[in-house]
Amino acid sequence: MAIGCTGHKVNADGNVAVEFNNTINPLAENISSIELIPLETDSEHLVGGVTDLAIAGDSYIVMDLINNNIFRYSADGKFLGCIGQKGNGPEEYIRINDIQYRDGNLRVFSTPSKLQRFSLAVSYTHLRAHETDSYL
C-alpha cells in the first residue's frame, strides 16, 4: 500500500526514488502491481480526502479528516458503514486525530483527549464503542 507524502527525491532520469535501508531504488522497481479501487459513495457518505487508511482483514477503514468521518469499505470498495459519529457523547468524536487497527478493534484518537475502541466483529452498519479512555 502506498500513500502520498509531501517530500520526494527525483533522479536525473525523472523517476521518483524511495529510500529503503539507506539504498535508493526507483519506485517502479519496488511495486509489482497497482490496483485502483473506486469507493462507493452517496450524498451522505462522501469522502473529502483520505487522511489515514487501515486494512482490517478483508475491508478498508478510511479516515476523512476534512469531513471528520470514518468509513468502512469492503475489499472491492462497497460501502459497509460508518464508525462512530460526530458529537460529544459515547461513540462520538469532536475531531479525529488518528486511527489504528489491531486485534479486531479500531482505536480512534480524538480531540479533546479521547480514545475509543470499536469492535469490528459486530454489524457493519452500526459499530459500537466498548471502551472509552482519556489518553492525555
Side-chain angles (χ1 to χ4, degrees):
M1 169 189 326
I3 296 178
C5 57
T6 58
H8 58 275
K9 298 176 184 177
V10 178
N11 293 335
D13 60 4
N15 290 326
V16 175
V18 178
E19 190 171 335
F20 295 98
N21 298 325
N22 298 324
T23 303
I24 297 184
N25 298 309
L27 185 59
E29 291 178 10
N30 295 294
I31 297 176
S32 59
S33 67
I34 295 175
E35 181 181 358
L36 297 177
I37 303 170
L39 301 178
E40 177 184 53
T41 59
D42 60 32
S43 61
E44 293 183 22
H45 306 106
L46 294 175
V47 178
V50 176
T51 50
D52 204 349
L53 176 70
I55 298 174
D58 61 350
S59 63
Y60 299 104
I61 300 170
V62 174
M63 177 179 137
D64 176 3
L65 187 61
I66 293 170
N67 294 320
N68 203 40
N69 289 313
I70 303 171
F71 299 129
R72 189 171 186 188
Y73 294 91
S74 67
D76 62 357
K78 182 179 180 203
F79 179 76
L80 298 176
C82 297
I83 299 175
Q85 61 186 6
K86 295 177 235 177
N88 204 18
E91 303 173 33
E92 297 179 335
Y93 37 78
I94 302 265
R95 182 180 186 279
I96 308 163
N97 296 324
D98 192 19
I99 60 172
Q100 294 178 355
Y101 176 77
R102 184 175 48 204
D103 303 324
N105 295 294
L106 180 71
R107 286 156 178 83
V108 177
F109 301 90
S110 62
T111 304
S113 303
K114 195 172 187 180
L115 166 62
Q116 292 178 299
R117 185 172 52 142
F118 291 85
S119 172
L120 301 186
V122 298
S123 167
Y124 288 144
T125 56
H126 185 67
L127 299 171
R128 299 183 60 88
H130 54 43
E131 179 180 291
T132 303
D133 295 316
S134 175
Y135 65 92
L136 288 180

